[in-house]
């Protein structure tokens, strides 16, 4: 975060710069899972991005409170989101029939 500008930068394992994406929110936690990056922001948005293109996979989900931590279950079936007020939100991943 430099001068109210936030960005997500992507580098290869060898340190080669692959790209970046400017973010509107201030990221408070991030989790890399399989082919996705899950981010939570202080503005209360949960975002899921493609690991290789950094583009949003779905529209950000509004949690209405700052997100303090994110975790993804071992089976990649749920995202656990810890909010500022101590609540734990569980978000199902996949198609509605699968959740």
């Amino acid at each position: 975060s430099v001068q109210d500008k936030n960005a997500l930068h992507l580098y290869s394992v060898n340190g080669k710069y692959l790209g970046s994406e400017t973010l509107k929110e201030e990221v408070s936690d991030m989790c890399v899972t399989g082919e996705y990056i899950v981010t939570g922001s202080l503005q209360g948005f949960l975002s899921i991005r493609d690991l290789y293109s950094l583009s949003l996979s779905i529209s950000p989900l509004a949690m209405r409170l700052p997100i303090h931590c994110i975790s993804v279950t071992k089976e990649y079936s749920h995202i656990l989101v810890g909010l500022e007020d101590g609540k734990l939100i569980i978000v199902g991943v996949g198609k509605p029939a699968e959740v």
Side-chain angles (χ1 to χ4, degrees):
S1 178
V2 177
Q3 299 175 347
D4 298 326
K5 293 188 179 188
N6 300 293
L8 191 60
H9 300 282
L10 180 65
Y11 291 87
S12 72
V13 175
N14 298 328
K16 181 182 176 187
Y17 176 77
L18 299 175
S20 65
E21 184 72 29
T22 303
L23 305 175
K24 296 177 183 175
E25 303 94 24
E26 185 177 348
V27 174
S28 56
D29 197 18
M30 174 177 20
C31 184
V32 178
T33 305
E35 297 183 3
Y36 298 97
I37 299 173
V38 182
T39 60
S41 71
L42 292 178
Q43 289 73 25
F45 290 101
L46 179 70
S47 301
I48 301 172
R49 296 178 175 275
D50 180 79
L51 178 60
Y52 304 106
S53 68
L54 299 180
S55 62
L56 286 170
S57 295
I58 61 166
S59 297
L61 302 171
M63 298 289 151
R64 298 190 180 141
L65 288 171
I67 296 172
H68 279 240
C69 61
I70 293 174
S71 183
V72 178
T73 59
K74 187 170 45 174
E75 301 82 19
Y76 306 126
S77 60
H78 295 84
I79 300 171
L80 310 173
V81 182
L83 302 180
E84 182 179 55
D85 64 354
K87 290 181 182 169
L88 176 66
I89 306 296
I90 301 172
V91 180
V93 178
K95 297 175 184 170
E98 297 171 351
V99 177

